[in-house]
Amino acid sequence: MHIGIDRFGLSTPHLYVDLREVAVQRGDEPDKYTIGIGQDQQAVTPSSQDIVTLGAQAVLEFREDIDMDRLGLLVVGTESGVDSSKASALYIHRLLHLPSSVRCMEIKEACYGGTGALMMARDYIVAHPDKQAIVIAADIARYGLATSGEVTQGAGAIAMLISKDPHILEIHDDSIVHSEDIQDFWRPLYTDCALARGKYSTEKYIEFFNDVWERYTQNYYVTLDNFAALCFHLPFSKMGLKALRTILPTTSEETQQCLLDRYQKSVYYCRRIGNVYTASLYLGILSLLDNDSTLQDNDTIAAFSYGSGAIGELFTLTLVPGYAQYLHSEQHHAILDNRQQVSVEEYEQIFTDMVPYAADDYETNKDYHHGSFILTGVIGQERQYQRM
Ligand code: CAA
């Protein structure tokens, strides 16, 4: 049975800040951000948006392709949950008017949550071949103003419709996994900003990648030449490149150049949006598919998922013949091109106006709102969502 991604949906806030301007404000060299880290722009999330509104917006892109009689599962992978108990999937379920027969839940393991959700959905279709599942990977990456992680913030959601005989990508049952309890990046319960041992986290990312890559190639008797492209979890666009460079010397110069060219296509959206934690591997895959016209039907792509804490997983996907006609590439470019730039001062104001960790009522700033779903505020400790 062929199981995989039948449709993709993308959403990101309609505001962004230019990172060269942020660099100047912070007294850093702009080239450090755009070349050293590899980020040009960063999504700025107004208080009226969170992973629920972003996730629901991403599903809208393929809402017409969902067969409500077959839909059985909705899983959100996120590390920006809006409640310690209730799954964000239930708010999204109501906003999208999905059937009450759908199982709804949320999965957490740092940036791996989206992959965890995808693998669960894949297994669900193995057990129930006639069903469909929706996977949403959605996150708002926050480290804090003037921190070393600030340049790697971002926000967005990728939604995927999972079924048998998919139209875009088949997901193979070939995962190689590395799990280990480490303290490279985490977020204590009292705050919406993450803590990271920056350098250590980048070293562990590469170490985990090298381990799963070596075991994958040995287990399945393959080499780099078997893959048309490699896509990575992208906390920032330079990170995947650092990992890719460790294995490039195992192939010819021509193949190296092809893989590097495709890598640049896979990070195009990340450079403009930033880190979207659980969604970033899938933003990278979508960016590659939307922006590379040299890929062929039946090409195989290797995907490396990394969630701090930490888990690394390598698996592969194959392009379904005719996949290109099921992408909404122009729409995705329009989402990015039609965003509104804010100044560094405005970005700082918006960043600090977020739902507080407190019992008080709170009203979000509607002036910045854009999109089909809105978080209007918190009343009596309950979040208030509306479809516009
Ligand atoms: N021109 C060009 N390049 C420059 C430059 C200039 N003027 N100035 C500096 N650089 C280069 C540096 O040489 C360096 O390059 P290399 O990494 O290739 O050596 C790069 O810019 C970054 O410089 P620093 O290492 O000095 O940067 P930093 O100390 O400020 O921190 C960071 C960088 C560790 C990534 C930090 O942003 C951070 O902590 N980010 C959050 C954690 C993170 O993203 N970790 C990634 C792995 S964990 C993960 O993947 C999960 C997740 O999503 C968080």
Side-chain angles (χ1 to χ4, degrees):
M1 187 166 30
H2 305 286
I3 299 170
I5 302 168
D6 192 61
R7 294 288 192 284
F8 273 109
L10 161 71
S11 78
T12 187
H14 76 297
L15 305 175
Y16 75 93
V17 65
D18 187 316
L19 286 172
R20 296 185 77 85
E21 293 185 6
V22 176
V24 171
Q25 283 287 325
R26 303 289 179 252
D28 287 328
E29 270 286 316
D31 284 356
K32 173 179 173 182
Y33 289 23
T34 55
I35 300 169
I37 304 274
Q39 294 301 118
D40 301 315
Q41 300 171 347
Q42 184 170 106
V44 174
T45 313
S47 54
S48 57
Q49 285 195 288
D50 64 10
I51 54 137
V52 169
T53 62
L54 289 168
Q57 187 74 41
V59 176
L60 267 197
E61 196 178 314
F62 57 72
R63 175 102 182 28
E64 301 306 311
D65 300 305
I66 302 170
D67 181 342
M68 295 300 169
D69 293 330
R70 291 171 60 206
L71 186 67
L73 181 68
L74 166 61
V75 197
V76 176
T78 187
E79 55 180 303
S80 318
V82 296
D83 191 286
S84 295
S85 176
K86 180 172 172 176
S88 51
L90 284 157
Y91 292 113
I92 294 172
H93 175 272
R94 174 176 63 81
L95 291 170
L96 292 169
H97 304 296
L98 299 180
S100 58
S101 52
V102 176
R103 284 182 188 145
C104 296
M105 69 190 84
E106 185 174 303
I107 285 188
K108 179 183 73 180
E109 189 341 76
C111 305
Y112 175 78
T115 302
L118 186 66
M119 294 306 162
M120 174 189 273
R122 190 191 176 283
D123 291 349
Y124 173 74
I125 303 296
V126 171
H128 308 280
D130 293 327
K131 294 284 193 180
Q132 289 182 330
I134 297 173
V135 168
I136 300 171
D139 266 309
I140 300 176
R142 289 168 66 86
Y143 292 89
L145 302 176
T147 60
S148 63
E150 182 184 31
V151 60
T152 67
Q153 297 176 150
I158 295 284
M160 293 169 270
L161 185 62
I162 310 302
S163 69
K164 73 172 179 190
D165 301 327
H167 286 104
I168 300 180
L169 283 161
E170 179 182 352
I171 304 168
H172 300 293
D173 184 15
D174 59 356
S175 288
I176 297 288
V177 175
H178 181 130
S179 291
E180 191 183 327
D181 178 10
I182 61 167
Q183 202 68 7
D184 60 333
F185 165 105
W186 66 104
R187 180 166 68 82
L189 287 172
Y190 69 90
T191 175
D192 62 8
C193 287
L195 304 176
R197 294 194 167 95
K199 269 266 171 299
Y200 175 66
S201 68
T202 61
E203 287 162 10
K204 292 308 277 187
Y205 176 114
I206 293 174
E207 191 183 305
F208 276 45
F209 170 68
N210 286 334
D211 177 59
V212 291
W213 176 258
E214 195 181 318
R215 288 196 286 129
Y216 188 96
T217 49
Q218 282 172 5
N219 263 26
Y220 298 109
Y221 306 103
V222 292
T223 68
L224 202 43
D225 295 299
N226 291 83
F227 300 104
L230 278 80
C231 288
F232 291 83
H233 165 57
L234 297 169
F236 50 95
S237 80
K238 185 86 166 286
M239 186 71 246
L241 185 60
K242 283 171 185 268
L244 178 61
R245 279 181 179 151
T246 63
I247 58 167
L248 274 183
T250 60
T251 187
S252 68
E253 286 204 4
E254 194 189 343
T255 303
Q256 289 189 31
Q257 198 48 55
C258 175
L259 291 173
L260 284 169
D261 288 348
R262 287 181 174 153
Y263 179 82
Q264 292 309 332
K265 305 272 172 43
S266 79
V267 300
Y268 177 73
Y269 291 165
C270 169
R271 293 189 71 100
R272 300 184 65 184
I273 291 175
N275 191 357
V276 282
Y277 289 160
T278 55
S280 70
L281 168 61
Y282 303 96
L283 183 71
I285 293 173
L286 188 61
S287 180
L288 174 70
L289 269 46
D290 277 352
N291 294 296
D292 189 297
S293 54
T294 65
L295 285 165
Q296 309 278 326
D297 291 348
N298 298 312
D299 273 352
T300 294
I301 297 167
F304 175 62
S305 182
Y306 180 81
S308 288
I311 174 166
E313 180 162 334
L314 191 86
F315 63 100
T316 66
L317 311 106
T318 294
L319 286 168
V320 176
Y323 73 94
Q325 51 184 303
Y326 293 93
L327 297 171
H328 303 143
S329 314
E330 280 177 23
Q331 189 178 328
H332 299 153
H333 283 270
I335 289 172
L336 294 178
D337 294 345
N338 297 336
R339 293 177 306 168
Q340 181 188 325
Q341 184 177 349
V342 293
S343 66
V344 179
E345 197 186 4
E346 240 179 322
Y347 144 65
E348 290 177 345
Q349 280 165 6
I350 296 168
F351 186 90
T352 39
D353 172 31
M354 291 301 280
V355 178
Y357 278 67
D360 308 341
D361 285 357
Y362 168 83
E363 197 181 328
T364 60
N365 183 347
K366 317 290 180 302
D367 295 345
Y368 289 116
H369 188 68
H370 184 268
S372 305
F373 305 98
I374 183 168
L375 170 68
T376 55
V378 181
I379 301 174
Q381 303 194 55
E382 295 181 63
R383 292 171 93 89
Q384 309 293 317
Y385 293 103
Q386 278 175 24
R387 186 164 184 168
M388 302 294 281

